[in-house]
Amino acid sequence: MDFKIRVQVLEWSEEFSIKNQNLDEHHKKFMQQISEALELTEYDAEDKPQKLEKLINSVMSSAQEHFKAEETYMQHIGYPFLDKHKTFHREFVSNISMLMMELEDAKNCAQEFYNCLKNWLIDHILVEDKQIESYRNRLYDIKEIPYSLEQRTKILAERVDVENEPKHKYICLCHLKEFQVCDSLHKIMQEEGTFMRCKTCKQPLIYRDLGLDDEDNFEALAKQYFKQF
């Protein structure tokens, strides 16, 4: 099943911020352009190719401005993955440029354009760009996911059916508080050794392994907490 991006779900949130006002404004604009691209996939009038070409040109212009500013910023803060990030930028420009040659088939071109922007939003803006802020806060070294559980789940929901996945119980240091973590996010956290924090107590969410009996549970979970730092 193809899960289309739900623009009303992935509206701008301060959790998406990389703490740079200029770059954040660029990202807000891209989200709006993705919304416009989605609308174009359902647009059937004769001027669809013209509208599509205009939007593609607008995105290209915004991207070039954004990439220049972002690369300058990364260089300024000594971001260690600058070269890798530049490669992502070049790939995006190349992919969008190729779509300009497919305008005659406006229906398929509009869908490909939207899919390209949607994937770029999820993979690049909300993941790769967010790591810039993580680097500044030194979260990268300790593998902290720079989102709340709710926001990271929303991002995953753009690609997988998280509602129907198995759920895993996680806990924090809040009294009697449990979190339901979807299977996709659970696998990411367990396989990559990453974690996220409770918004209330600010402590890591830890998987409550139901295979442990009550006597072992507290000690084992406590050890997992200490392993995070």
Side-chain angles (χ1 to χ4, degrees), residues 14 32 39 41 47-49 51-52 97 105 107 138 142 147 149 153 166 168 172 182 191 197 212:
E14 284 305 309
Q32 177 58 38
E39 292 176 2
T41 63
D47 62 342
K48 181 169 183 172
K51 286 184 174 293
L52 181 57
S97 298
D105 186 357
K107 181 178 180 180
R138 300 304 188 266
I142 60 173
Y147 288 112
L149 173 61
T153 302
H168 303 270
C172 63
C182 68
E191 292 173 4
R197 296 181 188 272
L212 298 172

Side-chain angles (χ1 to χ4, degrees), residues 61-75:
S61 177
S62 298
Q64 289 170 354
E65 177 186 3
H66 173 64
F67 294 161
K68 181 178 180 180
E70 189 173 75
E71 289 169 10
T72 298
Y73 174 64
M74 289 188 289
Q75 186 173 15

Side-chain angles (χ1 to χ4, degrees), residues 201-216:
C201 71
K202 310 302 181 184
Q203 296 303 310
L205 308 188
I206 298 297
Y207 175 46
R208 183 183 174 189
D209 187 348
L210 299 181
L212 298 172
D213 59 36
D214 290 341
E215 293 182 0
D216 293 336

